[in-house]
Amino acid sequence: MKKIWIDNKDRIITFIICGAIFIGMLSIIALVSGTIMKLLGFQYESIGSIILFFIIATIMSFPLNLIAGALPKALYELERISKLDALILYLTLDTIATSFGLKIVDYYMSSVSATTLSIVVISFLLALPGRDDFKDK
């Protein structure tokens, strides 16, 4: 075990630092999202439950979000659909994928309770930054 640590010390430290930064940024996004969702009926027991809710939902919806992002971009690059159609398809698929992850976590996590409206609205808001991926040719 000591040899593994010595041989990979830099990689392990880099991994831990990157993981901490990722969790920190996701926590900030979770707190902001939780505040927006609270206006729409979201209830929670603690700040930690909000953060855990979004961390698990991010992991759950990640595979679907990859497909939701890749499909419209591929169709646009192949000139099968217009930029506007690709953007609408992306926003729709990403919102559905994120909503799916949030809904599953909401179902199994007793310390939070999210309304369908709050899930759909925050899913759409989280999809909006991805619209910049569709640049003119």
Side-chain angles (χ1 to χ4, degrees), residues 7 16 18 34 41-42 44 58 67 85:
D7 292 345
I16 291 170
C18 289
F42 182 63
Y44 54 90
T58 299
I67 295 168
D85 290 340

Side-chain angles (χ1 to χ4, degrees), residues 61-82 85-87 89-95 97 127 130-131 133-134:
S61 62
F62 183 71
L64 288 176
N65 283 336
L66 287 177
I67 295 168
L71 181 63
K73 286 180 200 168
L75 292 173
Y76 176 61
E77 290 296 322
L78 293 171
E79 298 179 355
R80 302 282 188 214
I81 57 177
S82 68
D85 290 340
L87 182 59
L89 181 61
Y90 165 75
L91 290 173
T92 303
L93 291 177
D94 195 69
T95 300
R131 73 184 186 279
D133 292 345
F134 297 95

Side-chain angles (χ1 to χ4, degrees), residues 22 26 30 37 49-65 97-106 109 112 119 122-123 126:
F22 176 75
L26 190 57
M37 288 177 71
S49 62
I50 296 173
I51 294 170
L52 185 61
F53 175 74
F54 278 97
I55 289 173
I56 295 171
T58 299
I59 294 167
M60 293 290 295
S61 62
F62 183 71
L64 288 176
N65 283 336
T98 304
S99 295
F100 184 70
L102 290 172
K103 199 69 172 164
I104 289 174
V105 177
D106 175 51
M109 196 169 169
V112 297
I119 288 175
I122 204 64
S123 296
L126 291 172

Side-chain angles (χ1 to χ4, degrees), residues 102-126:
L102 290 172
K103 199 69 172 164
I104 289 174
V105 177
D106 175 51
Y107 180 78
Y108 287 105
M109 196 169 169
S110 60
S111 61
V112 297
S113 176
T115 62
T116 302
L117 177 63
S118 66
I119 288 175
V120 171
V121 168
I122 204 64
S123 296
F124 180 74
L125 292 175
L126 291 172

